[in-house]
Amino acid sequence: MKKFIFLFLISSLLFTSCKEEESNGPIQAVEPPETRKVSDYHKQYLKEISYIKTRADSSSTENMIKLDGGEYLMGGKSEEAKQNELPVHKVEIKPIYVDKTEVTNAEFAQFVEATGYVTTAERSFELNGKTYEPGALVFDPYNPEWWWKFVKGANWQHPQGPDSSIEGKENYPVVQVSWYDAMAYAKWAGKRLPTEAEFEYFNSAGRDSLTYHWGNDFDIAAQHANFYQGEFPKKNTGEDNFEKIAPVKSFPANDFGLYETTGNVWEWCLDTYHPDAYSRTSEMKDGYFKHYYNMEQEKVIRGGSFLCAESYCSGYRLSARMSSVPDTGLEHTGFRCVKDI
């Protein structure tokens, strides 16, 4: 089922995987699409996540920033705003703690070691009666038809495929993790994923009059965020000193003290994505859509990545919204967590 959604993504994504009471770890088996509906598949993953035991020191707020919250005017206010960023509306942000950085390879490795969790990209899958090897999507700028290709053996430890490695990159954001993987880590850490309202609020440091987290001047963008400069997707000039992903804390923190909330990697949010979400606020509970299922199972991703270019995808704008299906791993998508007070 996972790769059924992968194939859907490839064809539609242009920018952008014992008895219950006795179980202490993940359930690895997920039925193929011929016998399981998408909604059931989603429930299976959430059940698996519920089995994960929260770590003993989950009350710790080390490497987190406490935010008092408050009212915030959410949505697109610049000329670049897209329809899915409208209408501008007021939201109330409750006090929370926020991870200073994106979750790193080292932090995710601790989670895997403690729980034995296997990410979606590391699981084999069945499609139309055929078994496929595990893998994930890797960006290929030289393929004019599809910029994303499915690579066997690509996962969080081998982001570009089996010949790649995260050795020596412990302080880089973990990537090739699905929304389910991020949810699983958050459960273990005693945290959760941020809502997209919370993400826009802490990305902007609570200032609702800006286009970018550093202000409104795009000319200084390369000093503040890791994104794509040059002729996308063939020539990255590297003005920001990084061709692809950067270690955490490579760029100045925003005014809340948070690093790389813009650029570097897209970050998973809690919400189910709806293009007209801002017109459907009456359906929201506690700041996000609680019904996690829609036809494509799309979840919100925020903040932009090293593949966002001004000529193509200005995903680093504060109000920019994108989405991806929840079982998909990508080499430019990671996450950070928040903690309720």
Side-chain angles (χ1 to χ4, degrees):
M1 185 60 186
K2 168 164 64 79
K3 299 311 182 295
F4 168 79
I5 300 180
F6 260 134
L7 295 177
F8 164 81
L9 179 67
I10 291 174
S11 64
S12 62
L13 184 67
L14 294 180
F15 78 99
T16 50
S17 217
C18 305
K19 294 182 180 178
E20 293 179 13
E21 62 269 21
E22 296 175 352
S23 177
N24 292 320
I27 295 176
Q28 303 306 338
V30 178
E31 294 180 29
E34 292 82 3
T35 59
R36 183 175 291 274
K37 295 180 181 179
V38 173
S39 57
D40 292 336
Y41 174 76
H42 178 69
K43 291 176 182 177
Q44 173 71 15
Y45 262 106
L46 295 185
K47 179 192 286 187
E48 176 178 328
I49 291 167
S50 73
Y51 295 147
I52 295 173
K53 292 184 177 179
T54 302
R55 66 185 182 186
D57 61 345
S58 62
S59 62
S60 172
T61 55
E62 184 180 1
N63 295 320
M64 302 188 82
I65 295 289
K66 182 181 179 181
L67 304 181
D68 294 329
E71 287 189 347
Y72 179 77
L73 201 59
M74 183 180 183
K77 308 167 194 70
S78 66
E79 294 181 357
E80 295 88 353
K82 299 178 181 178
Q83 189 60 41
N84 71 346
E85 302 167 33
L86 301 171
V88 175
H89 59 289
K90 187 179 294 185
V91 293
E92 180 71 29
I93 305 299
K94 296 179 180 179
I96 53 172
Y97 287 97
V98 184
D99 285 345
K100 290 182 181 179
T101 70
E102 296 143 340
V103 173
T104 65
N105 288 320
E107 291 170 324
F108 198 78
Q110 291 177 347
F111 157 63
V112 170
E113 182 178 359
T115 63
Y117 182 81
V118 179
T119 64
T120 55
E122 296 173 286
R123 307 183 189 197
S124 60
F125 62 97
E126 292 187 29
L127 182 65
N128 298 325
K130 184 178 179 181
T131 300
Y132 293 83
E133 296 178 26
L137 295 173
V138 175
F139 187 69
D140 180 9
Y142 301 105
N143 187 335
E145 294 186 13
W146 305 114
W147 286 339
W148 293 93
K149 63 180 179 181
F150 181 77
V151 176
K152 294 179 181 179
N155 55 55
W156 72 276
Q157 297 183 86
H158 308 283
Q160 289 81 43
D163 294 333
S164 64
S165 172
I166 59 170
E167 185 176 352
K169 296 183 178 180
E170 291 78 12
N171 205 34
Y172 282 61
V174 64
V175 295
Q176 295 294 18
V177 285
S178 69
W179 183 84
Y180 297 113
D181 300 334
M183 291 282 284
Y185 174 94
K187 171 70 167 16
W188 171 75
K191 303 177 184 180
R192 62 172 172 83
L193 295 182
T195 67
E196 69 168 321
E198 289 170 337
F199 192 98
E200 186 170 324
Y201 171 74
F202 66 63
N203 190 4
S204 67
R207 299 174 297 172
D208 54 23
S209 61
L210 304 181
T211 302
Y212 314 104
H213 83 250
W214 60 86
N216 294 313
D217 185 1
F218 182 74
D219 290 340
I220 60 172
Q223 301 172 31
H224 294 273
N226 179 14
F227 66 103
Y228 197 104
Q229 301 94 43
E231 183 184 348
F232 184 85
K234 296 294 180 65
K235 185 179 180 181
N236 187 345
T237 61
E239 184 183 344
D240 58 11
N241 296 319
F242 295 98
E243 183 179 356
K244 286 194 172 186
I245 196 170
V248 298
K249 297 187 178 181
S250 291
F251 293 85
N254 72 3
D255 286 353
F256 275 168
L258 306 173
Y259 294 88
E260 283 86 42
T261 51
T262 295
N264 212 23
V265 297
W266 287 101
E267 299 185 27
W268 288 110
C269 291
L270 189 61
D271 308 57
T272 294
Y273 175 78
H274 296 278
D276 59 345
Y278 297 174
S279 299
R280 303 173 60 177
T281 53
S282 63
E283 299 177 39
M284 299 176 72
K285 304 293 183 183
D286 299 332
Y288 65 96
F289 286 96
K290 280 199 169 179
H291 57 289
Y292 288 124
Y293 170 72
N294 64 16
M295 185 177 295
E296 291 83 25
Q297 287 273 302
E298 293 184 17
K299 304 299 176 186
V300 175
I301 52 176
R302 281 288 199 136
S305 78
F306 63 82
L307 285 176
C308 283
E310 185 68 4
S311 62
Y312 182 72
C313 164
S314 57
Y316 33 72
R317 289 183 300 104
L318 291 171
S319 59
R321 307 176 67 225
M322 287 290 185
S323 65
S324 185
V325 286
D327 62 351
T328 297
L330 293 157
E331 67 167 314
H332 71 341
T333 305
F335 67 102
R336 80 179 68 215
C337 297
V338 302
K339 189 176 183 66
D340 293 312
I341 298 177

